[in-house]
């Protein structure tokens, strides 16, 4: 019997791991593939719930953990990326994967893609070709794409961007986003007491004081406008998160508000399915909310440039604009299409990873023009 092709997925956050679960299950269940899992980044942070334990509780075998230095500034973040890149290289040398699989635009997949590409390993990237301003997200996403040999993009616009970046057509596969695979069934399997609104805010800058003021403004504007119970989800670990968390701290138990430091994806989807509006700047509002009929008030520039469905309304960091948009959003559910598709993305990714030829043509990249 032929050896199974080893696919090593590197995960750094609760959100990205949840988004990729359908793909990871399809890889794990494939007769041609063997899944390896490397856990790093926010998963290992006690300040963010140490979600590596949740990964273990769900029965995912972890092949390696890569420590990640917590950072409060861009300089510290750059140091953390360098250290992690070295550790990733050591992990890959030990695990010897045939393909290193990464998702998105964060520093963790950038470190993994850098280590793998330089070592001559095939890199496969999910959600390449998208746009999102973030902090350093847009540049990192495209840098990861240039380090990658296979692209699993979500939309036609993203496919065209990758081709325009000089990527060969045979490398690019438009598959949709795995984040909406079976999303309604997942949400239905984890019902939650209905809430009027969900707030999910991540840092837009590295300035803790600015992020504190912005988040405080958003909370004071949103909670009264929602007019019912509200759930707040803790921020990710981008520099500036301490300011966001400090602004949230005093709200737990106040005016019908509950704060969750961490929510497993299935519980988050169940919560989202039973609310009218998601407020903040989370990618969940861009990628998944439309499939659950949830309206989104997207605040600020973190998701600037990203394709969005008609359920999303963009507003600035203005108390009046936020409150007005929230009051409108809670009046009805969204009925319409999700531009990121939906269906069988995870299975399609696994099938392509099983069948693709990993030869010199695949490994040695040359810009197309």
């Amino acid at each position: 019997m032929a050896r199974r092709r080893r696919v090593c997925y590197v995960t750094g956050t609760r959100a990205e791991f949840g988004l990729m679960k359908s793909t990871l299950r399809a890889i794990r269940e494939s007769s041609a593939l063997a899944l390896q899992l490397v856990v790093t980044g926010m998963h290992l942070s006690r300040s963010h719930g140490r979600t590596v334990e949740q990964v273990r509780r769900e029965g995912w075998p972890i092949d390696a953990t890569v420590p990640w230095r917590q950072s409060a500034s861009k300089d510290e973040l750059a140091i953390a990326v360098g250290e992690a890149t070295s550790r990733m290289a050591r992990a890959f040398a030990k695990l010897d994967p045939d393909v290193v699989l990464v998702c998105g635009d964060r520093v963790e997949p950038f470190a993994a893609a850098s280590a793998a590409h330089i070592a001559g390993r095939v890199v496969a990237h999910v959600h390449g070709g998208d746009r999102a301003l973030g902090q350093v997200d847009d540049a990192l996403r495209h840098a990861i794409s240039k380090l990658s040999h296979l692209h699993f993009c979500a939309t036609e616009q993203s496919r065209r961007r990758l081709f325009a970046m000089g990527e060969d057509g045979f490398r690019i596969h438009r598959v949709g986003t795995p984040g909406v695979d079976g999303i309604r069934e997942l949400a239905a399997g984890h019902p939650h007491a209905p809430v009027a609104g969900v707030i999910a805010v991540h840092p837009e800058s590295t300035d803790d004081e600015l992020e504190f003021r912005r988040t405080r403004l958003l909370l004071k504007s949103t909670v009264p406008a929602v007019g019912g119970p509200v759930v707040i989800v803790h921020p990710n670990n981008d520099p500036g998160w301490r300011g966001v968390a400090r602004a949230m701290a005093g709200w737990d138990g106040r005016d019908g508000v509950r704060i969750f430091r961490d929510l497993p994806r299935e519980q988050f989807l169940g919560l989202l399915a039973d609310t009218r509006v998601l407020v903040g700047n989370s990618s969940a509002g861009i990628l998944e909310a439309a499939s659950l009929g949830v309206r989104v008030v997207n605040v600020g520039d973190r998701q600037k440039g990203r394709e969005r469905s008609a359920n999303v309304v963009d507003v600035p960091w203005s108390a009046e604009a936020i409150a007005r948009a929230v009051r409108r959003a809670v009046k009805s559910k969204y009925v319409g299409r999700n531009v990121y598709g939906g269906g069988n993305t995870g299975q399609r990714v696994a099938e392509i990873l099983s069948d693709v030829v990993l030869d010199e043509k695949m490994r040695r990249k040359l810009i197309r023009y």
Side-chain angles (χ1 to χ4, degrees):
M1 180 181 291
R3 178 179 71 82
R4 291 186 176 190
R5 179 173 286 174
R6 293 187 291 267
V7 178
C8 180
Y9 181 64
V10 179
T11 177
T13 76
R14 65 194 182 196
E16 146 267 300
F17 182 73
L19 182 142
M20 285 292 291
K21 280 184 183 177
S22 67
T23 303
L24 301 182
R25 290 191 189 98
I27 293 170
R28 185 173 62 180
E29 294 166 4
S30 169
S31 60
L33 302 174
L35 177 66
Q36 298 173 323
L37 191 63
V38 172
V39 176
T40 187
M42 200 166 76
H43 284 299
L44 307 180
S45 168
R46 295 193 181 280
S47 299
H48 294 84
R50 194 167 165 78
T51 49
V52 62
E53 303 304 337
Q54 179 64 33
V55 174
R56 289 194 177 103
R57 284 195 296 271
E58 292 179 7
W60 295 94
I62 297 173
D63 296 275
T65 57
V66 172
W68 193 282
R69 176 200 293 255
Q70 293 299 297
S71 50
S73 70
K74 288 184 177 180
D75 287 334
E76 291 179 4
L77 181 59
I79 293 168
V81 172
E83 293 171 344
T85 302
S86 175
R87 292 171 179 143
M88 295 277 187
R90 292 188 181 95
F92 297 151
K94 181 178 179 180
L95 296 173
D96 193 25
D98 298 294
V99 178
V100 173
L101 178 65
V102 296
C103 175
D105 56 9
R106 286 181 54 84
V107 287
E108 299 94 347
F110 175 73
S114 298
H117 185 104
I118 292 170
R121 304 182 190 281
V122 172
V123 180
H125 184 205
V126 177
H127 269 292
D130 292 359
R131 298 171 71 212
L133 186 61
Q135 290 189 7
V136 292
D137 305 33
D138 201 57
L140 285 188
R141 186 189 305 272
H142 305 318
I144 295 167
S145 289
K146 296 309 296 184
L147 292 166
S148 298
H149 305 83
L150 279 168
H151 308 285
F152 298 113
C153 61
T155 70
E156 176 59 22
Q157 282 190 27
S158 294
R159 187 200 66 78
R160 290 200 300 266
R161 285 194 196 100
L162 287 166
F163 193 71
M165 287 167 63
E167 295 299 291
D168 288 305
F170 76 87
R171 301 182 184 278
I172 307 171
H173 303 269
R174 180 185 170 189
V175 296
T177 177
V180 298
D181 284 356
I183 190 171
R184 292 182 182 276
E185 292 77 12
L186 283 172
H190 292 79
H192 193 283
V195 296
V198 175
I199 297 173
V201 186
H202 303 299
E204 188 176 300
S205 75
T206 60
D207 186 332
D208 281 335
E209 287 304 314
L210 176 59
E211 293 306 316
F212 172 78
R213 293 194 299 272
R214 282 175 168 170
T215 305
R216 182 174 60 179
L217 178 148
L218 184 145
L219 295 173
K220 287 183 176 180
S221 306
T222 299
V223 174
V226 167
V230 172
V231 163
I232 299 173
V233 182
H234 227 240
N236 66 20
N237 66 340
D238 287 350
W241 74 268
R242 290 176 175 84
V244 177
R246 182 157 57 91
M248 292 176 171
W251 282 85
D252 199 18
R254 170 182 165 188
D255 298 332
V257 173
R258 291 189 63 196
I259 296 179
F260 288 91
R261 184 172 297 276
D262 176 61
L263 276 175
R265 175 175 171 79
E266 292 80 1
Q267 293 181 30
F268 177 73
L269 293 177
L271 176 68
L272 206 58
D274 285 322
T275 193
R276 288 294 179 94
V277 63
L278 172 63
V279 184
N281 56 14
S282 169
S283 61
I286 305 297
L287 298 178
E288 291 116 322
S291 294
L292 295 173
V294 179
R295 296 195 179 275
V296 176
V297 177
N298 181 66
V299 185
D301 288 338
R302 185 178 173 90
Q303 301 297 335
K304 186 176 181 179
R306 207 162 195 170
E307 289 177 73
R308 57 208 62 209
S309 305
N311 64 315
V312 179
V313 174
D314 296 295
V315 299
W317 291 101
S318 157
E320 182 180 349
I322 294 169
R324 181 169 60 247
V326 170
R327 286 194 294 267
R328 290 175 179 170
V330 296
K331 292 179 180 179
S332 64
K333 295 285 278 185
Y334 171 70
V335 180
R337 65 183 288 268
N338 187 335
V339 297
Y340 289 93
N344 203 30
T345 297
Q347 188 61 43
R348 291 178 66 191
V349 170
E351 289 171 357
I352 293 166
L353 288 173
S354 299
D355 296 338
V356 69
V357 178
L358 303 182
D359 57 6
E360 282 299 292
K361 181 182 178 182
M362 177 64 68
R363 293 175 185 279
R364 300 189 66 182
K365 293 188 66 176
L366 184 68
I367 194 166
R368 182 176 49 82
Y369 48 82

